[in-house]
Amino acid sequence: MGTIRDNWRILLLVVVLIASTFALFSPTVNAGESAGGAGTASEGITNLQYGLELSGGTRIRAPLVGVTAEEVEVDTADSRDVAREVAAELDAADPSDVIVRSTTQTTATVEVTAEGVTTQQLGSTLDSLGYSYGSVREGVTEPTRAEVVRVLENKINEAGLSGGTVQQVTTATGGHFILVEVPNEDRSDVVDLVESRGSVRVDIYYRENGTQTTREGVLTGDDFQNIGTAQESERGPFVPVTVRDQAAEDFQAAVVETGVAQPGGTTCTYEQNPAGTQPCLLVIVDDQVVNSFGMSPGLAQSMSSGSWADDPGFQLTTRNFSEAQTVSINLRAGELPARLDLEGEDGGTSSFISPSQGESFKTDSVITGIIAVLAVAGVVFVRYGEAKVALPMIVTAFSEVLILLGFAAGIGYALNLPAIAGFIAVIGTGVDDLIIIADEVMAEGDVSSRRIFQSRFKKAFWVIGAAAATTVIAMSPLAVLSLGDLQGFAIFTILGVLVGVLLTRPAYGDILRVLLTEDR
């Protein structure tokens, strides 16, 4: 029992190393969702997950299009009326581009998310409408950013892009960006997915008073109760949908009134002869017509008789399967309240790292780690010339790396280049601290007495403890602030320092005591 009591730090280190090895290699460990906040891919014999730099993929970082007026005095007016009034005064916006959020009983924020609307235009519009306000600024509100993150996450999931993540990023200057990372996907595919506003509606194109006209939005995204996946049929690709009961009656009445549901059905020639076509249903995605179609005799009959509304399902057909997938994804994910600004002056960027390049980064990281190991081992042996001092030092230092890797595998943290840089920094600071311990213990001559050893070790531990505290304090802002990749570097540096101070360095002290003292 005395041996166990005296060497419990060494035993604790062994237990933690066994647990870390289990987390790193055991197939029973399910990392689940990435805790690193980055797109991930898991591969190889370990349970480690890798970020974009090491697995390849696409990263998009962009602000949102929009301007916001704060503290707008709206009294008791209906927010929808305010949105319509503001949109009517702005040529570039329609009511769906104006978001009015109440902040108190008499004030609200008014956001305009249409492209090309400036703060001056929004201010002038509010002045002309008689609404007083506090200020007008670039950007959108926090609830809108959160809604964008939710919709983009849904889009990525519906598109089947595994490992893709979306998050808000705030810069040190207060700028707000949306960061999208999708591993193993081409840049163009991801840009097309996230750049689309996702607005889907059904219009009716028909003749009224001798001229062709369009009744817009007879069905919008909120009117669909169930949306199926894109499917192929002999008539072409389609998305099966079910309309909500509240909207079904109005839609049925509209198609009958406009002549789409006439006896014998209708044949649509909108694309070939828009001036001479019979009434059509138009599927509109982001204000672009993706298909036009008439109505079969059977469906027209059920519409005319009013029985369709009892079972309000039909098919949204498209020209090709890709468009059907887009319609299905947009309907399932919802409409983005604001578009990502990839071309503005505020720094929207997108980048792609090929899988082969990511594999190259991974290989280079391993080589860098091996070089670091050899360099540290060489310096330590040259410094002390005693294997019983140097070998435990090297083994202890690299046990910290194994513990950190096990931790990353256990929680599913996506390793990226900054995180690996943190690992290398941990090796460096760890060896520094172990050298301080060895120097302090051995520098003043004979250390065969346990009492003398403990006295010198405590003195050295105060030094490395103070240095560790300084490192943790210095790195904490980077770990807390949303500074992208720097966060991973800071987190693993802090974690490595804590593991060293609380676990590995005390264990190294016990190892030295066993090896150097006679009254153990």
Side-chain angles (χ1 to χ4, degrees), residues 229-301:
T229 56
Q231 300 178 33
E232 287 276 12
S233 72
E234 294 180 353
R235 295 184 302 169
F238 69 92
V239 178
V241 297
T242 301
V243 180
R244 296 184 187 279
D245 292 339
Q246 300 88 331
E249 293 284 353
D250 292 340
F251 177 68
Q252 181 175 259
V255 295
V256 172
E257 180 183 335
T258 55
V260 178
Q262 57 183 271
T266 51
T267 301
C268 178
T269 59
Y270 174 83
E271 296 178 44
Q272 299 81 17
N273 182 22
T277 184
Q278 291 184 323
C280 298
L281 292 174
L282 307 180
V283 179
I284 313 292
V285 177
D286 290 340
D287 297 327
Q288 300 293 321
V289 178
V290 300
N291 200 14
S292 57
F293 50 91
M295 188 167 287
S296 66
L299 181 58
Q301 171 60 33

Side-chain angles (χ1 to χ4, degrees), residues 8 11 62 73 76 79 113 124 138 188 191 282-283 302 340 384 396-397 413 415 417 452 465 470-471 477 479 501 514:
W8 67 271
L11 295 176
E73 298 285 347
T76 58
S79 60
T113 59
S124 300
E138 297 281 353
S188 59
V191 169
L282 307 180
V283 179
S302 65
L340 271 66
Y384 296 101
T396 304
Y413 193 96
L415 294 179
L417 290 180
I452 295 174
T470 302
T471 303
V501 171
V514 171

Side-chain angles (χ1 to χ4, degrees), residues 188-208:
S188 59
D189 293 340
V190 179
V191 169
D192 289 343
L193 180 68
V194 303
E195 198 174 31
S196 168
R197 185 82 177 268
S199 168
V200 180
R201 72 173 193 268
V202 176
D203 294 350
I204 296 178
Y205 184 76
Y206 66 108
R207 181 175 291 276
E208 185 178 50

Side-chain angles (χ1 to χ4, degrees), residues 37-39 52 58-60 156 163-167 179-183 485:
L52 287 186
T58 297
R59 170 183 290 137
I60 294 174
I156 289 173
T165 59
V166 185
Q167 60 180 314
L179 178 64
V180 181
E181 295 186 329
V182 183
D485 292 343

Side-chain angles (χ1 to χ4, degrees), residues 314-337:
F314 72 107
Q315 297 174 350
L316 286 173
T317 64
T318 59
R319 288 178 293 226
N320 55 59
F321 191 73
S322 175
E323 287 178 345
Q325 288 180 310
T326 299
V327 170
S328 177
I329 290 171
N330 288 337
L331 285 175
R332 286 169 172 269
E335 181 179 354
L336 282 174

Side-chain angles (χ1 to χ4, degrees), residues 371-385 390 394:
I371 292 174
V373 170
L374 295 177
V376 168
V379 170
V380 169
F381 272 109
V382 169
R383 174 70 178 83
Y384 296 101
I394 296 171

